[in-house]
C-alpha cells in the first residue's frame, strides 16, 4: 500500500424529498447563487420548480445559467465566469448530472483565477480555490458530486481534458434516488458503465498489497452488477436506484484509490471518442473496456484472474489462470451488452477512419495509463480491437 | 435503504513517518495545544519525542496530560477540562488509541459546556461543539480517529457510557502503520476483534435492501480475516498492519451504516464486562459475539446464512440455511480463538456471580439492541451462553 492523504468533506444528504433542503444548505454557503443546469429535463420533471421554491424560501438571490450540454463546453463555462464576476455571485448550485457539476466546478475555479480557466485543464495549473459548490444530483454516473474532478471540452479543436483537486469537492450533495426514476434506460445503462469504470480504473494497478481497497472495489462492482438490471426492468424501484446512486458516489470519491495508483487509459481513449462523436461517456467506455483488457491482461494475469473470480464468479482454474482472466473479460463485455447498449464501435455507428488522429490526440501529452503505458500505436491497436 | 446524512470531514494522513506532520497540522487548529496521551508506551517507542519535536517546530504551546487508562475515566476528563479552561487551550492532540482519543473528545466537549460533561453520556445531551481535535493513532481498534463516538467510564458506580455526534469527529488523523509494529499480539488481536465488531454491529440490521453496504461490510471483514493472522505472525509486516489500520477507520467512520440501523447489543453487554473486570473491550467482544449470535440468529436466518457464505466461505445449503447460519457463527468463534485470545468467560477468568447485576445495569436505560430487542432476562441468558 502506498502512502496517501484522503480528505472528503462533502456532506451527503441522501433520500426521499431531500431536494427540499437545498435552500437551507446553499444559504450556508452564500447569498447570491448561480443556479446552473442543463437542458429542459429538470423543468419537465418538476425538480426546477422545487429547487426554486426552496431557494426563494431560504432568501438567496438566484442567477440562472442553464444550457449545459453533455461533454460540457468551455464557452458556457466562460459565460458563467463572467456572470459570476459581474454580479458578485458567491456560491454555485449545480442541479443535474456530471456535465452540469463539472461545468459548475470549472466556473467556480475560473472566477477567482486571473488567467484563462483552460490553464487548469491543459497546462496542469493547480487549483487552489473554488467558489463554494452545492449539488442536487439527478443522474448517477460521473461521481462528480463528491469527486475533485472536472472534465471540460474545448470546442476549439474538440479537446476533452480534465483537472482534479481536493479543493474542487462540493460542500454538499443532495441525492434523492426518486429523481432518477425518469431516466431513460439508455442513460441508466451508460451511467452504470461510467460508475463501474471509475472502479475498474482504480482496480487495475501495479501497487501490490492493496487487499482492502481491492475488496471494496469488488463490492462496488458486484452491487452495480446486481442492481443495474433491476433498475432497467423496474425504473421506479427505489432500492435499486438508491444502491446505484450511492455506489456511484463511492466509486469516485477517492476512497477506492487510497494507497494505490489507478490506470485511466480507458478514460483517455474514450475522451477522444466522445469529444468527436458526442457519444455518452459511459457509452464510449462500454465499448473500450474489453479491448483495453484484451490488449493488456498479460501484464498481470493474476489480477485479471482475481477480477474474474471475485467479480464475475468465474471458477478459479489454478492450472490455467489465463483462461479465467479471459472469461472475466468476456463476463464484463456480456454484462455491458445485456444492458442493451452497443459494445463495439461498429454497433455504435462509429467509423474507423479517424483512429490515427484520435490515437495521436490521446497521447500527445504522453503515453496513456499507469497499469500499462500505451503509446500512439498501442492506442490505435485498441481502437482496432473495439471495431 | 433508509434516508441518511453522511458527513465525515476527518483528513486522513496515512503512511510512513506521517507523525512528523503533526505540528504543521495541529497549528492550523490552535496555538495552545493539550497533548493528551496514555501510559508510558509512547515514550518507550520514541513517538513522544517525535511528536514534541514536531509541535515545537510548529511553534505551538504544549500542555501535557498523560495517564489515560484503558476504559478512560471521567475523573481524568474533568482534570483535562479544568486544565484547558485555566490555560485558554484552543486545540487538543490525542496521541494513542481509542481510550486516549475518547478521553480527548470528552475533554473537548466539556470545555465549552457549562454543565457536567457526564450529561452527554448519561442524559443524552446533544453535542453542539468541541475543541478542534487532531489525532496520531497508535492502536487500530476503536475507530475513534474518525468516528463521532466517545466512551467514558464513570468510576462512581463504574458506569461505562457513550455519546455520539458528527461534531465530535477529529479534524485530522495521522496514521502510520509502523507505529503499530510494537503492539503486543494480545493487543493486535483484541484490536482486530474490535474492528470486526464495529462492522458486525452494523451488519445485523432489520433494514431490507442494503446490498451495497452489506458488501462493503463483508469486504472489510474479509480484509481483517486475511490480514490479522499475518500481523500476529509477522508484527513488522507493513502491508498487513496498513490493511488493518485503514480497515479499522472505515469500519467505524459511519460509511458502513449509511442507510441502515445497526444493532449494538453486543457492545452494550461487553461494556458491562469491561466496566467491572477491566478486560480489554475487544477481549470482551470476542467472548460475547458467538453467544449473542446463537441467541438471536433465528430472527433472520437468511442474513446469518449470507454472513456464513460471504464472510466465512460456508457452502450455501439451500435446503438447510440454518445449518449454514450455525456454521458461520462457528467460523467466527474459531477465528477469534485462532488469534490466541479467550473466547469464553471461563477462559478469561471471569466468574458467573454478577450476571444478574450486569444484565440489570446493561438494560436500565431500556432494552439492548435494534436487530433483536434484549431485556434483562435475555441478556442474562446470553451471559450464561458465554460461560
Amino acid at each position: 500500500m502506498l502512502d496517501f492523504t484522503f480528505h472528503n468533506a462533502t456532506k451527503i444528504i441522501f433520500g426521499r424529498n431531500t431536494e427540499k433542503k437545498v435552500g437551507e444548505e446553499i444559504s450556508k454557503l452564500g447569498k447570491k447563487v448561480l443556479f446552473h443546469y442543463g437542458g429542459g429535463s429538470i423543468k419537465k420533471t418538476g425538480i426546477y420548480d422545487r429547487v426554486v421554491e426552496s431557494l426563494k424560501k431560504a432568501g438567496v438571490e438566484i442567477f440562472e445559467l442553464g444550457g449545459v450540454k453533455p461533454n460540457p463546453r468551455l464557452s458556457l463555462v466562460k459565460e458563467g465566469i463572467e456572470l459570476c464576476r459581474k454580479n458578485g455571485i458567491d456560491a454555485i448550485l449545480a442541479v443535474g448530472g456530471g456535465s452540469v457539476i463539472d461545468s459548475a466546478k470549472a466556473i467556480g475555479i475560473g472566477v477567482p483565477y486571473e488567467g484563462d480557466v483552460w490553464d487548469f485543464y491543459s497546462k496542469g495549473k493547480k487549483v487552489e480555490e473554488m467558489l463554494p459548490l452545492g449539488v442536487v444530483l439527478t443522474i448517477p454516473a460521473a461521481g462528480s458530486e463528491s469527486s475533485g474532478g472536472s472534465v471540460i471540452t474545448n470546442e476549439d479543436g474538440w479537446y476533452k481534458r480534465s483537472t482534479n483537486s481536493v479543493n474542487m469537492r462540493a460542500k454538499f450533495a443532495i441525492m434523492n434516488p426518486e429523481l432518477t426514476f425518469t431516466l431513460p434506460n439508455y442513460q441508466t445503462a451508460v451511467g452504470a458503465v461510467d460508475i463501474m469504470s471509475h472502479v475498474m480504473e482504480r482496480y487495475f494497478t501495479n501497487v501490490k498489497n492493496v487487499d482492502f481497497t481491492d475488496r471494496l472495489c469488488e463490492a462496488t462492482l458486484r452491487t452495480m452488477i446486481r442492481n443495474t438490471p433491476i433498475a432497467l426492468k423496474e425504473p421506479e424501484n427505489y432500492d435499486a436506484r438508491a444502491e446505484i446512486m450511492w455506489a456511484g458516489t463511492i466509486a469516485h470519491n477517492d476512497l477506492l484509490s487510497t494507497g494505490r495508483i489507478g490506470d485511466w487509459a480507458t478514460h483517455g481513449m474514450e475522451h477522444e471518442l466522445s469529444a468527436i462523436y458526442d457519444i455518452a461517456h459511459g457509452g464510449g467506455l462500454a465499448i473500450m473496456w474489453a479491448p483495453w483488457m484484451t490488449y493488456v491482461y498479460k501484464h498481470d494475469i493474476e489480477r485479471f484472474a482475481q477480477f474474474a473470480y471475485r467479480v464475475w464468479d468465474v471458477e478459479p482454474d489454478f492450472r490455467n489462470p489465463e483462461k479465467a482472466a479471459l472469461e472475466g473479460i468476456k463476463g464484463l463485455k456480456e454484462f455491458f451488452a445485456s444492458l442493451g447498449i452497443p459494445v463495439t464501435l461498429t454497433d455504435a455507428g462509429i467509423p474507423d477512419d479517424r483512429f490515427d488522429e484520435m490515437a495521436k490526440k490521446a497521447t500527445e501529452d504522453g503515453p496513456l495509463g499507469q497499469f500499462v503505458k500505451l503509446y500512439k500505436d498501442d492506442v490505435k491497436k485498441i481502437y482496432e480491437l473495439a471495431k
Side-chain angles (χ1 to χ4, degrees), chain A residues 113-174:
Chain A
Y113 178 59
E114 288 185 8
D116 183 346
V117 68
W118 189 243
D119 293 350
F120 294 112
Y121 295 82
S122 63
K123 292 187 185 165
K125 169 92 192 154
K126 277 199 171 182
V127 173
E128 304 289 348
E129 213 184 332
M130 182 174 80
L131 285 190
L133 170 69
V135 169
V136 177
L137 185 66
T138 61
I139 307 171
S144 190
E145 65 277 9
S146 151
S147 80
S150 163
V151 186
I152 295 293
T153 296
N154 187 341
E155 302 98 313
D156 182 5
W158 296 102
Y159 285 93
K160 188 168 174 177
R161 293 288 180 268
S162 63
T163 187
N164 208 299
S165 164
V166 72
N167 299 317
M168 287 170 73
R169 295 200 199 275
K171 298 293 180 202
F172 69 82
I174 288 176

Side-chain angles (χ1 to χ4, degrees), chain A residues 232-275:
Chain A
L232 290 173
K233 218 171 154 186
E234 308 165 26
E236 305 207 354
N237 184 312
Y238 181 86
D239 288 301
R241 292 290 194 183
E243 299 286 354
I244 291 168
M245 202 173 207
W246 191 209
T249 301
I250 299 301
H252 204 41
N253 81 345
D254 294 331
L255 171 66
L256 302 188
S257 42
T258 49
R260 53 200 293 153
I261 295 173
D263 182 67
W264 301 100
T266 308
H267 264 71
M269 291 184 292
E270 194 294 312
H271 281 175
E272 299 311 322
L273 277 185
S274 56

Side-chain angles (χ1 to χ4, degrees), chain A residues 197-269:
Chain A
S197 299
H198 292 149
V199 182
M200 293 189 293
E201 294 285 18
R202 290 169 164 92
Y203 190 77
F204 292 99
T205 183
N206 294 321
V207 178
K208 300 296 173 200
N209 301 301
V210 285
D211 189 29
F212 184 38
T213 41
D214 267 3
R215 291 178 195 276
L216 295 177
C217 286
E218 291 150 3
T220 311
L221 290 172
R222 292 194 76 114
T223 301
M224 294 304 299
I225 293 164
R226 185 183 160 83
N227 288 285
T228 307
I230 300 174
L232 290 173
K233 218 171 154 186
E234 308 165 26
E236 305 207 354
N237 184 312
Y238 181 86
D239 288 301
R241 292 290 194 183
E243 299 286 354
I244 291 168
M245 202 173 207
W246 191 209
T249 301
I250 299 301
H252 204 41
N253 81 345
D254 294 331
L255 171 66
L256 302 188
S257 42
T258 49
R260 53 200 293 153
I261 295 173
D263 182 67
W264 301 100
T266 308
H267 264 71
M269 291 184 292

